[in-house]
Amino acid sequence: MSTSPGAPALGIRATARREVTARIRAEGRRQLASEGAAGLSLRAIARELGMVSSAVYRYVPSRDALLTELILESYSALADVAEAANASVPDQDDLEARWRAVWRAIRGWAFAHPHDYALLYGSPVPGYRAPQDTVAPASRVTGSFAALLVPLATAGGSVPVPVAVPESLSASLESTRAFVGEGVPDDLLLRGLMAWAGMFGAISFELFGQYEGAFADRDTYFDYVIDQWFVLLGGPPA
């Protein structure tokens, strides 16, 4: 069977488009590092790549569209790291090892990619509103964390006496319950959310210099935070 005359050209065009798009994204990430997300400019990207501005818009329709692409890539990269860390523990019944692996992997990625981390968890970009299609990649990151709450809930570990959950708050947890799964009581769901916020708070404080002068041994401190939250969620003390 002969190949249609247009097929090779389409392949070449598609390959060229991917290459140019990759160059635009790479330059966008370089701008994130030097100017911050608020300073991202398609005109500046065009200038750096030796393209006219109108040509860039054929690949990326707007600054916000490029931001969304960079956010999607960053969430997916972080999710890959977190999921791989969770799966790397040989004994999947060892919840403490899985807990530590996920926390350390997320922190390690943040310090290896500080500008990408800031794009995801730093200050909102003025004028930018993330579209719905960023939810699924972000949920993958959360999923590696939330997947440990069900086994922690069923392991029967001792937990601190919880503060009573207000009825209005309990009623508002439906989407969180649906995401985490059955069998996790409301107080543990809420402690899980607090631990999630606590992890990113500890990473952000360290990454953005908020711990300066507080202590020197950052690695041991982060492991201490990991262990404290594990116990507060019902895991056995280390």
Side-chain angles (χ1 to χ4, degrees), residues 21-22 28 62 66 94 99 123 131 141 165 183 193 228 234 237:
T21 301
S62 66
L66 178 57
D94 188 344
W99 181 256
S123 300
V141 180
V165 179
L193 288 172
Q228 284 290 344

Side-chain angles (χ1 to χ4, degrees), residues 6-27:
L10 286 174
I12 291 170
R13 283 199 294 270
T15 299
R17 184 176 185 83
R18 283 196 298 270
E19 290 175 352
V20 174
T21 301
R23 290 174 61 207
I24 291 171
R25 290 178 180 174
E27 178 57 26

